[in-house]
């Protein structure tokens, strides 16, 4: 039965991939005469997939077509070598560092954790650019060629593996370090220490055995992020892997087989490992007693409908007040503003977005431009675009001579505001559906939904976003297929809906965990409705977790913006000019990822290093959000008593003593003498 379930969920994943593969063709042909709708194209594509003779890879500019598996298999193996090499190297270094860090004192371990937080905030594009820059500088200064940083006639391995290994190394190192620290605080470790077992023996024989199953579950999230990073790393290092062949022939057939090749090995590996690690005794009896074949869709719909209707009837709305939500919000904000990390992070977003709005209103989005840069008297030509810092512009200019600083200021409101909006919609949508997941779905239905959602971890998010946004953001000779407002709304919708299933399961499980607390059971016994339990008890516990999840989603959206920007997919649309002497692609909104696409292309090879200012802006936004997340964590830890502030001691000065001393309730001999002397 388990094997049947495994195959059934795999087939559901394949069907989802086929549905996604048709979207680019549907968006690009929408509105054209003699074209069928989405479902018509989907049915036609299912028919093509059922015929192996139609599994062909068309070559652009040629009438020839080749068997698609023969074309994609070698690039797939090449990409998997890079990915597995990076994962193996990253996990091995993380394991060694975590074992060594366990024996470090706290004064040494604290700065190590800060360095990890810093490395986790640096976008992968910066690591790739700095690695290329290092190799070029060493070659120019010493004549030593360390290794190839781009693939032309021969495959390149070391540079992409080193760059790609940083993310899994840092993430797994932090997870292992946290879990080891938590295990050392448990009772059984104290018992083992009392038996005389040394710290190293406890670590190797007991703690590693306990944390490995949990570490395995974290690996899925890490591999998901690494797959998205590989999509951009292959582009930066000119690797002719799956990404290259996908972009060369962007057809539904190529998209489907590319995603299937990525999805299949990771799906079966993780599902088989979960079956091996799963403890049958931990499965609730309610789930064991049910049979897979008795799942009734009509009964499930009826239960959800009745439960949701009962929850709506149980809502008791108090007398409406216009000021109550604002009062609660400002009270909550003021309590967090006392934490300097939260205040500093929030101040960055307020200043950046506020200054961008003021600049746009006062200057009508004016951007300074210098085509030819002369000296003061105009007798000598000093430079042509792109102009280096600091003259005539402090941050330099792009290839058309536009000031980078002006574009950064104008694009800040689009980049930061819409990234915050998408992150907010992801969290709000996940919370809304998470409530339905926890309160109104049966355990069997929750298992089904969780298994189907779990398949998303094996598909690169940046690649899926590229596939869906390609026909929306890129114009043709006739112009855009959608208006500016439609493009913005569609991009927000796509980047939101791709992650809502994951946030739904995550928050749904968090809600289920809170519902198991004893005070929740007491509230139900006293007659509390589902809405009352959620609003009065569950939601306050989820508040800090929602803020942390919001920050994580914001950082992920920024990284997707960076990845799409490298492929010249800019927020709101890409301006293209056609002709023999066409201008480089430009962003309609001057948002930051558009600047990466305009300036970052071939910048290192041309010696234009000032485009890194754009990546610094992304890093500052990520650092600011991490400050907010850390501030929320510290405020919550103070509330529950994990962290607390000691009251400051009042100090008085004694005229007969040079140094101040602290007030104390204890009467000493010296204090008694001073009191007696004053009398």
């Amino acid at each position: 039965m388990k094997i049947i379930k495994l195959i059934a969920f795999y087939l559901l994943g394949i069907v989802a991939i086929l549905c996604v593969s048709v979207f680019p063709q549907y968006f690009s042909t929408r509105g054209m005469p003699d074209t069928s709708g989405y479902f018509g194209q989907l049915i036609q594509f299912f028919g093509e997939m059922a015929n192996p003779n139609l599994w062909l890879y068309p070559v652009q500019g040629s009438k020839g077509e080749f068997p698609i598996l023969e074309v994609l298999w070698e690039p797939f193996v090449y990409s998997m070598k890079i990915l597995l090499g990076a994962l193996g190297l990253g996990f091995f270094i993380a394991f060694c560092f975590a074992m060594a860090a366990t024996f470090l004192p706290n004064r040494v371990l604290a700065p190590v954790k800060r360095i990890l937080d810093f490395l986790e905030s640096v976008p992968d594009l910066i690591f790739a650019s700095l690695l290329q820059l290092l190799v070029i500088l060493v070659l120019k200064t010493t004549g030593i060629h360390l290794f190839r940083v781009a693939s032309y006639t021969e495959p390149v391995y070391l540079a992409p593996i080193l760059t790609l290994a940083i993310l899994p190394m840092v993430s797994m190192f932090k997870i292992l370090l946290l879990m080891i620290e938590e295990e050392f605080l448990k009772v059984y470790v104290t018992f083992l220490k009392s038996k005389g077992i040394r710290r190293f023996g406890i670590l190797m024989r007991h703690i590693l055995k306990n944390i490995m199953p949990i570490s395995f579950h974290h690996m899925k999230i890490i591999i998901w992020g690494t797959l998205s990073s590989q999509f951009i790393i292959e582009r930066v290092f000119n690797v002719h892997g799956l990404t290259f062949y996908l972009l060369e022939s962007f057809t539904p057939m190529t998209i489907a087989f590319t995603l299937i090749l990525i999805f299949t090995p990771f799906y079966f590996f993780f599902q088989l490992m979960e079956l091996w690690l799963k403890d049958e005794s931990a499965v609730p009896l309610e789930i064991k007693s049910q049979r897979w074949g008795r799942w009734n869709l009509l009964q499930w719909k009826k239960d959800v409908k009745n439960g949701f209707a009962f929850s709506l009837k149980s809502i008791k709305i108090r007398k409406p007040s216009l000021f109550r939500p604002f009062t609660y919000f400002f009270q909550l904000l003021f309590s967090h503003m006392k934490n300097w990390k939260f205040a500093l992070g929030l101040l960055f977003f307020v200043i950046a977005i506020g200054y961008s709005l003021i600049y746009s209103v006062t200057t009508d989005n004016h951007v300074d431009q210098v085509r030819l840069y002369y000296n003061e008297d105009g007798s000598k030509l000093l430079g042509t675009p792109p102009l280096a810092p600091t003259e005539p512009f402090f941050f330099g200019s792009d290839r058309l001579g536009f000031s980078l600083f002006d574009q950064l200021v104008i694009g800040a409101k689009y980049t930061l505001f819409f990234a915050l909006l998408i992150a907010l919609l992801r969290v709000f949508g996940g919370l809304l559906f998470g409530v339905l997941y926890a309160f109104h779905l049966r355990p069997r239905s929750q298992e089904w939904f969780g298994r189907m959602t779990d398949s998303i971890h094996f598909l690169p998010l940046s690649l899926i976003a590229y596939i869906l946004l390609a026909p929306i953001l890129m114009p043709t000779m006739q112009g855009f297929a959608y208006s500016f407002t439609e493009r913005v709304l569609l991009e927000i919708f796509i980047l939101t809906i791709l992650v809502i299933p994951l946030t739904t399961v995550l928050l749904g499980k968090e809600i289920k965990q809170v519902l198991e607390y004893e005070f929740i059971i007491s509230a139900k016994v006293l007659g509390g409705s589902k809405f009352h339990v959620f609003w009065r008890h569950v939601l306050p516990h989820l508040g800090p977790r929602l803020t942390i999840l919001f920050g994580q989603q914001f950082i992920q959206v920024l990284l997707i913006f960076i990845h799409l920007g490298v492929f010249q997919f800019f927020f709101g649309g890409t301006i293209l000019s056609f002709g023999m002497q066409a201008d480089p692609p430009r962003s309609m909104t001057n948002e930051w990822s558009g600047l990466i696409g305009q300036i970052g292309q071939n910048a290192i090879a041309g010696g234009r290093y000032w485009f890194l200012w754009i990546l610094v802006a992304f890093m500052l936004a990520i650092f600011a959000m991490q400050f907010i997340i850390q501030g929320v964590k510290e405020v919550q830890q103070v509330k529950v008593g994990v962290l607390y502030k000691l009251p400051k001691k009042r100090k008085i000065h004694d005229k007969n003593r040079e140094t101040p001393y602290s007030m104390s309730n204890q009467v000493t001999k010296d204090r008694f003498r001073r009191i007696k002397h004053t009398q």
Side-chain angles (χ1 to χ4, degrees):
M1 186 60 67
K2 293 180 180 179
I3 301 299
I4 296 177
K5 285 186 180 181
L6 186 69
I7 297 175
F9 285 117
Y10 173 73
L11 294 178
L12 287 175
I14 297 298
V15 171
I17 288 175
L18 298 182
C19 294
V20 170
S21 303
V22 179
F23 269 108
Q25 178 178 296
Y26 164 71
F27 281 125
S28 59
T29 59
R30 183 185 175 190
M32 294 183 180
D34 300 330
T35 56
S36 57
Y38 170 74
F39 290 102
Q41 296 182 21
L42 181 62
I43 294 174
Q44 181 182 357
F45 184 58
F46 272 113
E48 294 176 359
M49 290 295 297
N51 186 3
N53 295 326
L54 298 179
W55 295 358
L56 300 175
Y57 180 89
V59 179
Q60 190 174 9
S62 173
K63 296 182 180 180
E65 292 182 334
F66 305 92
I68 193 166
L69 288 177
E70 294 181 6
V71 175
L72 295 181
W73 181 253
E74 187 175 350
F76 167 72
V77 174
Y78 183 20
S79 296
M80 286 300 104
K81 287 180 180 179
I82 294 175
L83 178 64
L84 296 179
L87 292 174
L89 178 63
F91 289 155
F92 176 75
I93 295 176
F95 179 80
C96 295
F97 282 2
M99 297 299 103
T102 306
F103 302 95
L104 294 177
N106 290 331
R107 64 177 180 273
V108 179
L109 195 57
V112 171
K113 293 180 180 179
R114 295 191 185 98
I115 294 174
L116 290 176
D117 292 335
F118 171 78
L119 292 176
E120 198 173 29
S121 304
V122 179
D124 45 16
L125 185 59
I126 289 185
F127 288 120
S129 302
L130 292 179
L131 183 62
Q132 290 179 331
L133 177 61
L134 175 64
V135 173
I136 293 174
L137 289 178
V138 171
L139 180 62
K140 288 183 178 180
T141 55
T142 64
I144 300 175
H145 189 197
L146 297 178
F147 45 80
R148 291 191 301 273
V149 293
S151 174
Y152 296 102
T153 57
E154 298 181 3
V156 57
Y157 288 100
L158 185 58
I161 286 177
L162 290 178
T163 307
L164 203 59
I166 295 176
L167 173 63
M169 185 268 292
V170 174
S171 301
M172 184 56 71
F173 184 18
K174 290 185 65 176
I175 291 171
L176 289 175
L177 194 60
L178 177 62
M179 290 190 296
I180 290 174
E181 290 178 348
E182 291 179 350
E183 286 293 319
F184 268 111
L185 297 176
K186 293 185 177 180
V187 178
Y188 79 90
V189 175
T190 306
F191 175 75
L192 293 174
K193 289 180 179 179
S194 66
K195 292 292 186 179
I197 302 178
R198 295 183 178 181
R199 188 180 182 90
F200 181 78
I202 296 174
L203 176 65
M204 300 303 296
R205 295 181 181 179
H206 301 278
I207 291 181
L208 288 182
K209 180 181 178 181
N210 293 334
I211 67 174
M212 280 306 167
I214 305 175
S215 304
F216 171 77
H217 293 292
H218 285 283
M219 285 175 58
K220 287 190 289 188
I221 306 295
I222 296 174
I223 292 177
W224 188 40
T226 308
L227 283 171
S228 295
S229 295
Q230 186 179 15
F231 179 59
I232 185 68
I233 294 301
E234 289 190 358
R235 176 77 169 190
V236 172
F237 290 104
N238 196 31
V239 173
H240 288 188
L242 273 180
T243 302
F244 175 82
Y245 285 88
L246 172 64
L247 301 181
E248 286 294 312
S249 177
F250 198 67
T251 62
M253 188 68 67
T254 308
I255 295 171
F257 273 93
T258 300
L259 295 179
I260 290 173
L261 287 174
I262 297 173
F263 171 74
T264 301
F266 289 105
Y267 173 82
F268 282 106
F269 172 74
F270 280 102
Q271 294 299 326
L272 292 175
M273 288 294 293
E274 282 190 358
L275 291 177
W276 179 57
L277 294 173
K278 190 175 182 181
D279 186 4
E280 292 292 339
S281 61
V283 180
L285 294 176
E286 182 182 358
I287 298 178
K288 280 188 171 183
S289 62
Q290 297 177 3
R291 292 188 178 180
W292 189 56
R294 293 183 179 179
W295 190 69
N296 193 333
L297 182 61
L298 296 177
Q299 183 64 32
W300 173 78
K301 288 183 177 180
K302 183 178 179 181
D303 293 340
V304 172
K305 182 179 179 181
N306 294 336
F308 189 63
F310 177 77
S311 297
L312 291 178
K313 292 179 181 179
S314 64
I315 297 176
K316 296 180 180 179
I317 302 177
R318 294 188 298 174
K319 184 179 180 180
S321 174
L322 180 63
F323 300 101
R324 185 182 296 120
F326 296 99
T327 303
Y328 175 76
F329 172 76
F330 283 111
Q331 288 177 350
L332 187 64
L333 181 64
F334 179 75
S335 64
H336 284 78
M337 287 295 290
K338 296 178 181 179
N339 184 281
W340 70 270
K341 295 180 181 178
F342 181 89
L344 184 62
L346 183 63
L347 189 63
F348 170 82
F349 289 101
V350 172
I351 293 176
I353 298 177
Y355 181 69
S356 177
L357 290 172
I358 294 173
Y359 183 87
S360 298
V361 171
T362 55
T363 65
D364 194 21
N365 290 328
H366 173 73
V367 180
D368 291 334
Q369 183 183 21
V370 174
R371 284 284 190 177
L372 299 175
Y373 179 49
Y374 292 92
N375 58 0
E376 294 182 357
D377 57 4
S379 60
K380 182 180 180 181
L381 180 64
L382 300 180
T384 58
L387 299 169
T390 58
E391 293 292 341
F393 306 118
F394 184 78
F395 286 165
S397 73
D398 61 10
R399 286 177 285 181
L400 296 178
F402 290 104
S403 170
L404 273 187
F405 178 76
D406 293 345
Q407 295 182 75
L408 283 172
V409 171
I410 294 173
K413 58 182 177 293
Y414 293 103
T415 304
L416 299 179
F417 174 77
F418 284 105
L420 292 171
L421 177 62
I422 293 171
L424 180 64
L425 292 176
R426 287 179 174 184
V427 175
F428 179 77
L431 178 63
L432 179 63
F433 292 106
V435 171
L436 298 177
Y437 174 91
F439 282 93
H440 303 295
L441 288 186
R442 292 183 175 182
R444 178 61 63 184
S445 303
Q446 292 176 356
E447 182 186 7
W448 268 79
F449 186 76
R451 287 289 187 89
M452 288 188 293
T453 303
D454 194 51
S455 302
I456 300 177
H457 287 119
F458 313 122
L459 296 175
L461 183 59
S462 297
L463 179 58
I464 300 298
Y466 177 92
I467 291 171
L468 296 178
L469 293 174
I472 298 174
L473 300 181
M474 297 299 289
T476 60
M477 296 287 291
Q478 292 76 26
F480 288 101
Y482 302 89
S483 65
F484 175 76
T485 304
E486 290 175 338
R487 293 195 300 272
V488 171
L489 293 178
L490 283 173
E491 185 168 1
I492 292 174
F493 174 77
I494 290 173
L495 294 181
T496 301
I497 203 67
L498 287 176
V499 185
I500 278 186
L502 297 176
T503 56
T504 297
V505 175
L506 178 63
L507 293 177
K509 291 181 178 179
E510 292 276 351
I511 294 173
K512 285 185 62 179
Q513 185 177 2
V514 176
L515 291 176
E516 295 176 357
Y517 293 161
E518 293 183 358
F519 70 90
I520 297 291
I521 300 176
S522 301
K524 292 180 179 179
V525 171
L526 293 175
S529 63
K530 291 182 178 180
F531 178 79
H532 175 83
V533 170
F534 170 74
W535 188 257
R536 291 293 185 182
H537 301 288
V538 176
L539 191 58
H541 279 76
L542 287 181
R545 183 71 182 94
L546 292 175
T547 306
I548 295 171
L549 181 62
F550 169 76
Q552 294 171 346
Q553 293 301 317
F554 171 80
I555 295 173
Q556 187 184 73
V557 172
L558 285 185
L559 294 178
I560 292 177
F561 280 174
I562 294 175
H563 293 173
L564 294 176
V566 174
F567 289 92
Q568 299 177 351
F569 282 20
F570 308 146
F571 187 84
T574 304
I575 300 176
L576 294 179
S577 58
F578 301 92
M580 295 298 295
Q581 296 180 348
D583 291 331
R586 299 191 63 233
S587 172
M588 297 190 66
T589 58
N590 288 317
E591 48 87 25
W592 294 349
S593 63
L595 300 180
I596 292 178
Q598 295 174 41
I599 304 164
Q601 192 73 17
N602 300 323
I604 291 292
R608 302 187 298 272
Y609 309 129
W610 54 92
F611 90 101
L612 292 174
W613 284 115
I614 307 166
L615 296 177
V616 170
F618 275 103
M619 288 181 59
L620 290 177
I622 294 174
F623 288 153
M625 184 55 68
Q626 284 198 334
F627 272 126
I628 292 176
I629 294 173
Q630 189 63 31
V632 172
K633 287 181 180 179
E634 291 181 359
V635 171
Q636 181 64 15
Q637 288 172 343
V638 170
K639 287 182 179 180
V640 300
V642 177
L643 296 177
Y644 56 90
K645 296 181 179 179
L646 294 174
K648 295 182 179 179
K649 296 181 179 180
R650 293 183 302 167
K651 296 182 179 180
I652 63 173
H653 289 271
D654 186 6
K655 296 181 180 179
N656 299 326
R657 301 181 64 174
E658 296 181 357
T659 59
Y661 66 96
S662 301
M663 292 290 294
S664 175
N665 294 327
Q666 183 179 3
V667 179
T668 62
K669 186 184 296 185
D670 294 335
R671 290 192 63 192
F672 179 76
R673 288 176 180 175
R674 286 198 302 273
I675 295 172
K676 184 177 181 180
H677 179 72
T678 56
Q679 292 177 349

